[in-house]
């Protein structure tokens, strides 16, 4: 009787999600013989876009104890950090993203260099298509001409760049004063110390840009335009946890109902001298279940009215970053303006930006540099990545109706346009926001990676 060939698993994307998945796949006994391929075009696999910037002022917004690659070894990253040069005088409360990128790449490099029965290979290129074969497998076609016949293909594509913030005239996208990607190498260093700057968005990316410009010696005032006009909330010193109260929300199917319960507990906590942050954090393990219990109309209501406030409260800034922003604001070097960018027009070497405040007439602002710090493009019906486009045109993936990501089953298997679940195509990471809403932070992604690795091992063993 012939021995079955080892399974072939191709993971497209070598950022945190792809890296975590590969490492968890290697821990599965049923996949010990598996041939695993990681597709990542960057020079170093592991850090991805989020942790590849080599700027020490870019800090993680979670303490080291919450950033392990492995949920069952919560101190894995913290222990690694203790042995690094940046911890010579004690481990930082909030490590740099560059440090975390190094942690990811070192763990992945160790797996790539390990000897054993299985096979793990990194391809420094991109995937452009993954058509189905007659035998049910997938032929993953790479930009360098390689083809990998795979039993399972996992999309770990991370976040896509922000969509154009204004239209319909998109000439500004090609103007040298417009910075579509603040993370692009040396992009911000094109900005002179006395150049006027306008940032679109006031989230964590905008905070990083402000700190980077300050580090580079920028001294001119900066205008920040944001719809809700708020900076991310700051972390407070580590405090005792608040008891989980999901049982009171399990049957709640409205946004207002959830808010009412949360506010009641917030008042109870306040009476005990407890900050609101531990109350919100108490629900973190159950956020996906709360989101999934809302009908589509309630999810739309949340996105329309509360998503901006949620981002401010949930995705917090390290205290030193928040203090730096407050200092720049007090000095008149940062001006936060409430409104929406409606139009961006070239004006010689500069850009003119039309901002419309809520309920008032708009105004025009002029800047020598405009940096887009808005959120990523999540709508898979608009993403132009070649692999996504080919799968979408073939009907092998379905964007969700809210434009948050992809429709999947509970394991991340893609739902096709015909309503059928794929037996070979899976995804994890931000693409799974339709199921969880929160699907970008390390604790959620490492859980998805561990669960998907176990599911693929189970399928191989059937």
């Amino acid at each position: 009787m012939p021995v079955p060939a080892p399974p072939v698993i191709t993971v497209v994307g070598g950022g945190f999600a792809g890296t975590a998945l590969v490492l968890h796949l290697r821990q599965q006994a049923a996949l010990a013989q598996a041939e695993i391929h990681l597709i990542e075009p960057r020079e170093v696999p592991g850090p991805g876009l989020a942790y590849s910037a080599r700027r020490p002022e870019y800090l993680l917004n979670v303490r080291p104890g919450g950033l392990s690659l492995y949920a069952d070894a919560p101190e894995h990253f913290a222990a690694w950090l203790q042995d690094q040069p940046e911890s010579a005088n004690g481990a930082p409360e909030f490590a740099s993203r560059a440090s975390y990128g190094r942690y990811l790449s070192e763990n992945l490099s160790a797996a790539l260099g390990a000897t054993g029965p299985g096979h793990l290979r990194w391809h420094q290129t991109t995937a452009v298509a993954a058509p189905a074969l007659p035998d049910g497998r997938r032929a993953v076609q790479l930009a360098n001409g390689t083809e990998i016949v795979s039993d399972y293909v996992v999309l770990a594509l991370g976040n896509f760049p922000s969509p154009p913030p204004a239209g319909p005239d998109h000439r500004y996208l090609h103007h040298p004063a417009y910075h579509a990607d603040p993370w692009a190498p040396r992009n911000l260093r094109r900005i002179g110390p006395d150049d006027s700057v306008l940032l679109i968005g006031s989230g964590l990316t905008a905070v990083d840009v402000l700190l980077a410009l300050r580090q580079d010696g920028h001294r001119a005032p900066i205008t920040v335009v944001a719809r809700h006009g708020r900076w991310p909330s700051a972390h407070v010193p580590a405090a005792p946890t608040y008891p989980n109260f999901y049982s009171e929300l399990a049957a709640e199917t409205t946004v207002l109902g959830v808010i009412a319960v949360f506010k009641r507990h917030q008042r109870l906590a306040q009476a005990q001298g407890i900050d609101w942050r531990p109350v919100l954090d108490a629900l973190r393990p159950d956020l996906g279940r709360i989101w999934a219990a809302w009908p589509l109309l309630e999810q739309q209501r949340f996105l329309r009215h509360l998503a901006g406030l949620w981002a401010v409260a949930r995705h917090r800034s390290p205290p030193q970053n928040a203090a730096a922003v407050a200092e720049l604001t007090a000095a008149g070097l940062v001006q936060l303006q409430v409104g929406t960018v409606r139009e961006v027009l070239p004006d010689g070497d500069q850009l003119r930006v039309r901002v419309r405040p809520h309920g008032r007439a708009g105004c025009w602002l002029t800047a020598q540099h405009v940096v887009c710090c808005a959120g990523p493009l999540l709508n898979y019906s608009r993403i132009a990545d070649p692999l996504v486009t080919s799968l979408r045109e073939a009907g092998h993936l379905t964007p969700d109706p809210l434009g948050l990501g992809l429709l999947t089953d509970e394991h991340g298997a893609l739902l096709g346009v015909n309503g059928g679940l794929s037996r070979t195509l899976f995804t994890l990471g931000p693409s799974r926001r339709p199921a969880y809403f929160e699907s970008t932070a390390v604790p959620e992604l490492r859980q998805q990676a561990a669960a998907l690795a176990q599911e693929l091992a189970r399928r191989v063993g059937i």
Side-chain angles (χ1 to χ4, degrees), residues 226-241:
R227 268 183 305 199
H228 51 70
R230 294 178 175 88
W231 295 107
S233 298
H235 278 287
V236 294
T241 59

Side-chain angles (χ1 to χ4, degrees), residues 205-281:
T205 297
V207 173
D208 281 344
V209 170
L210 288 176
L211 297 179
L213 290 174
R214 185 182 69 165
Q215 182 68 25
D216 292 343
H218 187 268
R219 51 183 176 255
I222 298 172
T223 299
V224 180
V225 178
R227 268 183 305 199
H228 51 70
R230 294 178 175 88
W231 295 107
S233 298
H235 278 287
V236 294
T241 59
Y242 187 82
N244 181 280
F245 53 97
Y246 173 70
S247 59
E248 299 175 41
L249 297 169
E252 185 54 67
T253 59
T254 69
V255 174
L256 290 177
V258 170
I259 292 175
V261 174
F262 172 77
K263 286 187 173 180
R264 184 169 71 250
H265 280 275
Q266 186 181 3
R267 290 191 295 270
L268 290 172
Q270 187 176 15
Q272 302 171 55
I274 299 174
D275 186 72
W276 61 266
R277 292 164 181 82
V279 182
L280 186 61
D281 295 343

Side-chain angles (χ1 to χ4, degrees), residues 299-333:
Q299 292 178 347
Q300 289 175 323
R301 183 172 288 114
F302 175 84
L303 293 174
R304 186 164 57 247
H305 299 294
L306 293 174
L309 295 176
W310 171 259
V312 167
R314 170 69 183 82
H315 302 287
R316 299 165 204 152
S317 191
Q320 56 265 54
N321 287 8
V325 172
E327 180 183 329
L328 291 169
T329 302
L333 295 175

Side-chain angles (χ1 to χ4, degrees), residues 66-302:
L67 291 169
S68 170
L69 274 161
Y70 309 100
D72 58 357
E75 295 303 313
H76 191 261
F77 172 60
W80 177 91
L81 186 62
Q82 288 282 359
D83 295 331
Q84 303 307 306
E86 53 266 49
S87 298
N89 298 317
E93 183 182 16
F94 291 89
S96 72
R97 288 211 239 129
S99 296
Y100 195 64
R102 204 165 70 246
Y103 163 74
L104 296 175
S105 63
E106 286 185 13
N107 277 272
L108 181 57
S109 294
L112 287 166
T115 59
H119 173 83
L120 172 60
R121 181 182 175 189
W122 164 43
H123 302 261
Q124 191 181 0
T125 184
T126 58
V128 296
L133 298 174
D135 63 2
R137 294 184 293 173
R138 296 263 167 187
V140 180
Q141 299 168 1
L142 307 184
N144 63 8
T146 302
E147 183 174 275
I148 306 170
V149 177
S150 307
D151 297 283
Y152 302 102
V153 179
V154 182
L155 307 182
L157 302 176
N159 285 315
F160 289 90
S162 302
D169 187 341
H170 285 168
R171 287 179 296 158
Y172 68 92
L173 295 176
H174 308 288
H175 195 283
Y178 182 71
H179 302 253
D181 181 7
W183 309 113
R186 303 195 64 80
N187 194 349
L188 298 180
R189 292 197 167 102
R190 295 194 289 112
I191 299 175
D194 297 305
D195 291 350
S196 57
V197 179
L198 184 147
L199 308 186
I200 302 174
S202 63
L204 293 171
T205 297
V207 173
D208 281 344
V209 170
L210 288 176
L211 297 179
L213 290 174
R214 185 182 69 165
Q215 182 68 25
D216 292 343
H218 187 268
R219 51 183 176 255
I222 298 172
T223 299
V224 180
V225 178
R227 268 183 305 199
H228 51 70
R230 294 178 175 88
W231 295 107
S233 298
H235 278 287
V236 294
T241 59
Y242 187 82
N244 181 280
F245 53 97
Y246 173 70
S247 59
E248 299 175 41
L249 297 169
E252 185 54 67
T253 59
T254 69
V255 174
L256 290 177
V258 170
I259 292 175
V261 174
F262 172 77
K263 286 187 173 180
R264 184 169 71 250
H265 280 275
Q266 186 181 3
R267 290 191 295 270
L268 290 172
Q270 187 176 15
Q272 302 171 55
I274 299 174
D275 186 72
W276 61 266
R277 292 164 181 82
V279 182
L280 186 61
D281 295 343
L283 292 176
R284 178 154 186 182
D286 306 296
L287 292 175
R289 292 196 288 178
I290 294 171
W291 168 261
W294 291 340
L296 187 63
L297 287 176
E298 287 296 309
Q299 292 178 347
Q300 289 175 323
R301 183 172 288 114
F302 175 84

